[in-house]
Amino acid sequence: MSQKIRTKGARALAEALKALKTNSTLTTLNLKDNKIGENGSVALAEALKTNSTLTTLYLQDNEIRENGGVALAEALKTNSTLTTLNLEDNKIGENGGVMLAEALKTNSTLTTLYLQDNEIGENGGVALAEALKINSTLTTLDLSLNSIREKGGVALAEALKTNSTLTTLYLQGNEIGENGGVALAEALKINSTLTTLNLRLSSIGENGDVALAEALKINSTLTTLNLEDNSIGENGSVALAEALKVNSTLTTLDLSLNSIREKGGVALAEALKTNSTLTTLYLYNNSIGENGGVALAEALKTNSTLTTLNLGLNSIGENGGVALAEALKINSTLTTLNLGWSSIGKNGSVALAEALKINSTLTTLNLDGNSIGENGGVALAEALKTNSTLTTLNLYNNSIGENGGVALAEILKTNSTLTTLNLERNLIGENGGVALAEALKTNSTLTTSNLHSNSIGENGGVALAEALKTNSTLTTLYLQDNKIGENGGVALAEALKTNSTLTTLILQSNPIGENGSVALAEALKTNSTLTTLNLYNNSIGENGGVALAEALKTNSTLTTLNLEGNSIWIKGLLVFSEALKTNLTLTTLSLEGNKIADKIALALYESVKTNSTLTSLNLGCESIEDDGLQALSEALKTNTSLIKLNLQSNSIEDNGAQTLAEALKTNSTLTTLCLKYNSIGFNGAQALAEALKTNSTLTTLDLENNSTGDKGAQELAEALKTNATLTTLDLWRNSIRSSGAQALAVALKINVTLTALYLQNNLIGDNGALALSEALKTNSVLSTLDLWGNSIGDNGAQALAEALKTNSTLKILDLQKNTIGDNGALALAEALKINSTLANLNLWHNSIGDNGAWLQYQVSQVITLRIGL
């Protein structure tokens, strides 16, 4: 028996505890993203001490933090039934990690433990490594994004030398460095149980990779190795290639986003000629060039095991495309080939088309962004006449034009294998749309068709509608930006009355007008399959809004409805308020850009009080006034389902913000509140800050461009000292200067939950940067800091650089459009030689000269770096 708790916070906890204490059959409990907090997790831990049936517990993203982690660890010492525990994204910290490690020394039932993004750090990693030396049941351990760094990586490597049960280890994003990579390599020479190792974004570099390659020559159990984005160059890839010549167990190797270049590509190709176990090879974005592509093609002629090859973004060119095509004529094992954005051009695509006439194994082909043109489109169509294996064809942004579209349509009449066809941005035009529609009348396999931005027009829309009346397989249709107009909308509506398979229809930006939307509304009264309808920017107007709202009173399948920018006013919104009282299926409703008068707002928000299914409501750009906000706030006090509310650009002033703040003091479900582009000022910020001191569910607050000023920032900073749930705070463009930044800095020294702080365009200056730098020296949770456009000069940059030498959690630092010169750049560069966690530093549009830019370039191998002058 399994149970998923769908409520939030305290209610979620109550349900879970009741189930654990009284139910004798429950084996799986899913509390993911319920914000039960530390107290909730402590109570659950107590229940686990006596519960004897639960085997699987999902607690990811619940803000259980250190105390919750420690309590659960204690429970694991006595619990004898739990086999799977997921604690992803809970910030249990170093102590939580250490205590879980202690529990693993005696626990004999847990087999799977997910600890991704928990800030367990080096000591937590070392403790878990020690536990692995003793534990004999754990088979899967996920430690991704935990900053265990070199020390943790080396410790885990030592543990792997004696551990004989762990089969899967995820260490992605831990910056274990070269030494960590070398240590793990040594362990792999001895370990005989590990089958999967994920080292994505680990900075193991060339030396680490070479060491792993040596290990692969001896290791006989590892089947999956992920080395994506590790600054591996030509030498590292050559070493891996040599290892593949003798290794007989590895089946999956991911080298995406490295710099193996032509030499590496050629070496790997040679290895594939003799290797007989590798089935999946990812080389995305490695600059292997034409020669690398040609070499791999030669290897495919004799290789008989590789099934998936990703060569996207590699500029293999026409010659590489032609060579691969020749290989496909002979190869009989490859099923998936990704050549997206590889510059294969018309000739490459024509050659591939010829190959498809013969090849009988390829099922997925991605040719996105290759400028194959009409000739390429027509050639591929010809190939599909005889090809009987391809199921997915991606041709996004290839300018195949009308002729290419018509040719592909003709083939769909007889082809019986293709299920997904992506023709987005190909200008197939009206004739192409009509031709595809004709094909859909007889085609019985296509389930997904993407025709986004193809100018198919009204006739194309009408033709597709006729096809939907008889087609019984298509489930997803993308028609945004196609100018199908009113006639197209009406025709599609008629089709929906009889069609019983389509679940997703995207009609964004098609000017279907009132008549089109009224017709669609009528269809929704009888249609029982459509779950998602996007009518953004369609000029449906008042009557269209009324009709759609009426349809929602009886429709029982639609879950997502997007009506942004449609000029729905009083009558339409009034009927929507009535519909929400009875509708039991709609979870997401977007009304942004429609005008809600106060008396209508009262009715709409009254319905929110009782509605129990709506989770996301977008009311941006609605000109909501004080009375309306009062009604909405009252609704939030009792509503128990809404988790996301967007009120951007509504001219909300301090009174409105104060009203919303009162609601937040009692509301226990809302997690995201967007108030950007309003005018709440200092008083509004002060009220919201007071609410944050007691609110325990809000995780994201967007106050961009609200004129809160320094005083508003200071009030919010005070709230951050005690608030334990907010993870994202956006204060862009709020006239915050140094004193506001200083107050926020003080809060950051105490706050243990905020992970993202956006202060773009606030003029905090060097003094503000100095204060924030001091905070970064002790803060252990902030991962994103945006200081774009804040008049920060060299002094501020140097202070931030000092902080980066000791800070171990910041991953993104945005310093665009400041006044940082060479001295500041040099200081940051020096810091980056020591810092091992920062992944993205943006210095675009500063005053950095050649000296600063050159030193930054020297360390850019370990971070993503953009420099502008």
Side-chain angles (χ1 to χ4, degrees), residues 790-806:
N790 267 287
S791 299
I792 298 170
D794 280 343
N795 289 341
Q798 288 167 337
L800 287 165
E802 280 303 306
L804 287 177
K805 291 179 181 178
T806 55

Side-chain angles (χ1 to χ4, degrees), residues 122 147 149 772-782 798-810 827-828 830-838:
E122 290 184 351
S147 301
R149 294 193 289 277
L772 288 168
S773 299
E774 283 303 307
L776 287 176
K777 290 179 181 177
T778 55
N779 180 283
S780 61
V781 288
L782 199 72
Q798 288 167 337
L800 287 165
E802 280 303 306
L804 287 177
K805 291 179 181 178
T806 55
N807 180 281
S808 61
T809 53
L810 201 68
L828 286 165
E830 285 301 312
L832 290 175
K833 293 178 181 179
I834 301 168
N835 180 284
S836 62
T837 52
L838 198 71

Side-chain angles (χ1 to χ4, degrees), residues 214-227:
E214 282 302 306
L216 287 178
K217 291 179 181 178
I218 304 167
N219 180 282
S220 61
T221 52
L222 200 70
T223 59
T224 300
L225 179 59
N226 188 338
L227 297 177

Side-chain angles (χ1 to χ4, degrees), residues 90-112:
N90 270 296
K91 309 295 183 288
I92 67 169
E94 186 177 293
N95 287 342
V98 169
M99 294 308 294
L100 280 169
E102 282 302 305
L104 287 177
K105 290 179 180 178
T106 55
N107 179 283
S108 60
T109 53
L110 201 70
T111 60
T112 302

